[in-house]
Amino acid sequence: EAQVTQNPRYLITVTGKKLTVTCSQNMNHEYMSWYRQDPGLGLRQIYYSMNVEVTDKGDVPEGYKVSRKEKRNFPLILESPSPNQTSLYFCASSLSYSLEQYFGPGTRLTVT
Amino acid sequence: AQKVTQAQTEISVVEKEDVTLDCVYETRDTTYYLFWYKQPPSGELVFLIRRNSFDEQNEISGRYSWNFQKSTSSFNFTITASQVVDSAVYFCALSDGSGNTGKLIFGQGTTLQVKP
């Protein structure tokens, strides 16, 4: 089944404890991206990647890192999480940046 | 600046009614892409449709139809004979063609409640 998977789906952590949210797609998509969804602020792009080893900042990259060492994986790293990073995170992938993006199921992160 | 406005925050209808969700966008690009996504109560984002700025043909897919009008910068979504399973938050989104970032600019979403 063609899909984007994210792990974990739910995470509660404490301020400053490094964490990684994994994202993997099995559709051989070149383009991948991360969004966060917050009440009142909507969905905003954090980082994106046009292809392997090519990543760039979206609108809200502060406090996040990404890497794209393989085409299928695009992990989101929070080196020192803070409470303002409590959010619902979505990974997405697409054949190309101009085509439709397919989203993972979301990761609900709570930082206390 | 690019912007997507979904003026209807919440809509409530009774099953079998038709409902139209409005979407108005702003962009200076001549090449751009428009999308609709559905977010059911389970939380995932489901792709519904993509349109590029050069294709103003309306589209119908089952009970869903979309009306793209460049003259009014609108990309409205109509559900015919609504069903309870259509209850969800619906997002309209815009992606630019000049920036080549693939970034989706989302509207704030319209919550549709379909009552039995």
Side-chain angles (χ1 to χ4, degrees):
Chain A
E1 180 190 356
Q3 60 183 347
V4 179
T5 56
Q6 294 178 228
N7 282 292
R9 294 288 313 281
Y10 303 91
L11 179 61
I12 301 174
T13 190
V14 296
T15 299
K17 186 176 181 183
K18 181 179 178 180
L19 66 92
T20 299
V21 183
T22 64
C23 173
S24 183
Q25 50 92 5
N26 62 1
M27 296 171 278
N28 202 34
H29 285 173
E30 291 195 346
Y31 182 91
M32 297 186 75
S33 62
W34 277 101
Y35 292 83
R36 61 179 288 176
Q37 184 177 24
D38 302 289
L41 296 174
L43 284 142
R44 295 173 293 168
Q45 189 183 57
I46 304 170
Y47 267 96
Y48 66 95
S49 169
M50 290 290 192
N51 213 326
V52 176
E53 301 293 0
V54 181
T55 64
D56 210 341
K57 297 176 181 178
D59 287 335
V60 287
E62 296 78 20
Y64 304 95
K65 284 176 56 177
V66 293
S67 68
R68 188 94 181 272
K69 293 184 170 57
E70 308 164 277
K71 199 171 190 179
R72 63 183 295 128
N73 297 324
F74 190 44
L76 179 70
I77 303 156
L78 286 72
E79 295 261 352
S80 183
S82 61
N84 65 11
Q85 292 178 298
T86 292
S87 187
L88 177 58
Y89 291 88
F90 288 101
C91 179
S93 74
S94 175
L95 272 173
S96 163
Y97 71 90
S98 65
L99 296 176
E100 59 273 16
Q101 295 180 36
Y102 294 94
F103 285 79
T107 294
R108 188 165 292 281
L109 172 66
T110 302
V111 183
T112 61
Chain B
Q2 297 181 313
K3 186 178 178 182
V4 175
T5 301
Q6 295 179 254
Q8 305 149 309
T9 305
E10 291 183 22
I11 301 176
S12 182
V13 299
V14 177
E15 210 170 16
K16 298 184 183 176
E17 283 186 26
D18 299 347
V19 57
T20 295
L21 309 182
D22 297 333
C23 173
V24 174
Y25 63 90
E26 296 175 29
T27 181
R28 291 180 181 168
D29 295 326
T30 54
T31 302
Y32 53 89
Y33 310 94
L34 295 164
F35 306 83
W36 276 94
Y37 284 87
K38 174 182 180 180
Q39 188 173 39
S42 50
E44 72 271 26
L45 284 162
V46 179
F47 165 73
L48 295 178
I49 190 172
R50 169 188 178 270
R51 263 284 176 268
N52 73 54
S53 52
F54 300 108
D55 182 4
E56 282 193 78
Q57 251 189 338
N58 292 332
E59 178 148 347
I60 298 174
S61 177
R63 296 184 297 106
Y64 295 172
S65 63
W66 291 269
N67 184 313
F68 176 27
Q69 291 196 338
K70 287 177 76 171
S71 60
T72 56
S73 297
S74 65
F75 186 42
N76 297 336
F77 173 29
T78 297
I79 302 174
T80 302
S82 59
Q83 299 176 0
V84 172
V85 292
D86 296 327
S87 297
V89 182
Y90 291 87
F91 292 97
C92 180
L94 167 70
S95 180
D96 68 6
S98 61
N100 295 343
T101 67
K103 178 174 68 178
L104 293 173
I105 306 294
F106 285 88
Q108 287 300 309
T110 296
T111 299
L112 174 65
Q113 184 181 37
V114 182
K115 298 177 181 177

